[in-house]
Amino acid sequence: MMSARPMLPLRLLVAATLAVAGIASGAPAAAAPGSLREGLFGEGRYDSRRFAAPPVAKYAVEDGGGFILDRSTPRPMMKFEDSAEVWVLQPHPAPRGDIIYKNDLGQPVLRATRLGGLTVFTPARPSGAAAALVGGSNPLRLPTLGPEALLQRLAQASARASRAARRLIPFEADASPETAPLVADAAMVAAEAVVRLSADSSGRNVLNGIEKVTLVEGRRPGASLRAGVILITITPEDGLAGRPSSERILAATGAR
């Protein structure tokens, strides 16, 4: 599967024992910009390289909560403060010069207007909620992981999924030292999808047929459900963009 790379002893079937962990980050925060309009659009036409705002910034949502928007990489990334999942976004032009940021299912997550407004869309806020710039933040990055830390992350993912299902759901993965950080992150995202399955009756019906989660490397990121196995495909060279989001995993199960 990954014979070209040195393998860790990691054909792993781990039981549920630990709590879920999030993504570490570690660069110094940038200074806050003068205005949200300048931060989003600068003085001229839209160009993500001309933002006056910090490349990584924190935003507060009008009805509570907040998120980090990281534009320091070719693909913008976003993380809500109450979740460990990082969403990799794709900007798309919209009418009136707006920009819509979409997830890997093509669903809108953020909308930025030329007037400086920023709107965030979530399942709890389908019509959108306004967000305001707070200041700079730290970039969203995958942490460095050794074999022991990867085992712990997989155990944590299995623990969280198993609690949601009220039975053991083991996580199985192949990993090398290079792919370990993305494997760990993809496992956490898969556990989040399982938890979300348990939240309603249709999802629980699907969850009843899930026996385990398997993570493999492939040419492009994806997710599928076959014979009781959630199969997560990762593409390590794409970084955080190289694994499916929890929303895409849910869609693959047929529960959304």
Side-chain angles (χ1 to χ4, degrees):
M1 189 174 301
M2 298 185 293
S3 57
R5 298 174 178 169
M7 298 297 297
L8 300 173
L10 285 178
R11 192 64 187 174
L12 302 168
L13 283 172
V14 294
T17 52
L18 301 172
V20 70
I23 291 179
S25 58
S35 73
L36 180 57
R37 176 184 172 84
E38 291 174 2
L40 290 171
F41 297 104
E43 294 300 322
R45 64 180 178 81
Y46 173 79
D47 184 340
S48 63
R49 295 168 299 179
R50 297 177 60 194
F51 278 54
V56 189
K58 183 176 180 179
Y59 295 82
V61 182
E62 62 177 344
D63 57 356
F67 59 88
I68 294 170
L69 180 62
D70 184 347
R71 298 175 291 98
S72 64
T73 60
R75 292 285 299 275
M77 295 182 291
M78 174 185 182
K79 178 185 175 296
F80 291 97
E81 63 181 13
D82 60 352
S83 172
E85 180 170 4
V86 174
W87 297 84
V88 180
L89 307 176
Q90 181 68 48
H92 296 268
R96 301 184 300 276
D98 293 358
I99 299 294
I100 296 178
Y101 294 87
K102 298 182 178 182
N103 64 18
D104 57 352
L105 275 185
Q107 300 167 331
V109 177
L110 291 173
R111 185 179 187 119
T113 74
R114 289 195 63 82
L115 297 178
L118 189 65
T119 302
V120 58
F121 303 93
T122 68
R125 308 174 181 100
S127 59
L133 181 63
V134 174
S137 186
N138 293 324
L140 303 171
R141 297 291 185 269
L142 289 168
T144 301
L145 291 180
E148 228 177 272
L150 176 58
L151 281 168
Q152 291 177 346
R153 295 295 180 89
L154 288 167
Q156 290 162 2
S158 177
R160 192 164 183 234
S162 299
R163 283 195 298 268
R166 298 183 180 180
R167 57 185 169 79
L168 177 62
I169 296 185
F171 276 53
E172 178 182 278
D174 280 341
S176 69
E178 293 81 9
T179 64
L182 187 60
V183 168
D185 182 74
M188 179 275 298
V189 173
E192 172 66 18
V194 171
V195 170
R196 292 176 62 187
L197 279 175
S198 69
D200 57 60
S201 57
S202 62
R204 286 192 293 272
N205 287 336
V206 174
L207 185 54
N208 288 336
I210 294 175
E211 300 299 328
K212 68 176 179 178
V213 176
T214 299
L215 299 101
V216 299
E217 186 176 345
R219 292 185 177 181
R220 60 180 60 185
S224 63
L225 175 59
R226 301 173 187 170
V229 178
I230 295 180
L231 181 66
I232 307 296
T233 303
I234 65 168
T235 307
E237 56 266 30
D238 292 338
L240 280 165
R243 52 95 173 122
S245 67
S246 60
E247 193 68 33
R248 188 169 177 183
I249 296 170
L250 282 173
T253 68
R256 294 289 187 274

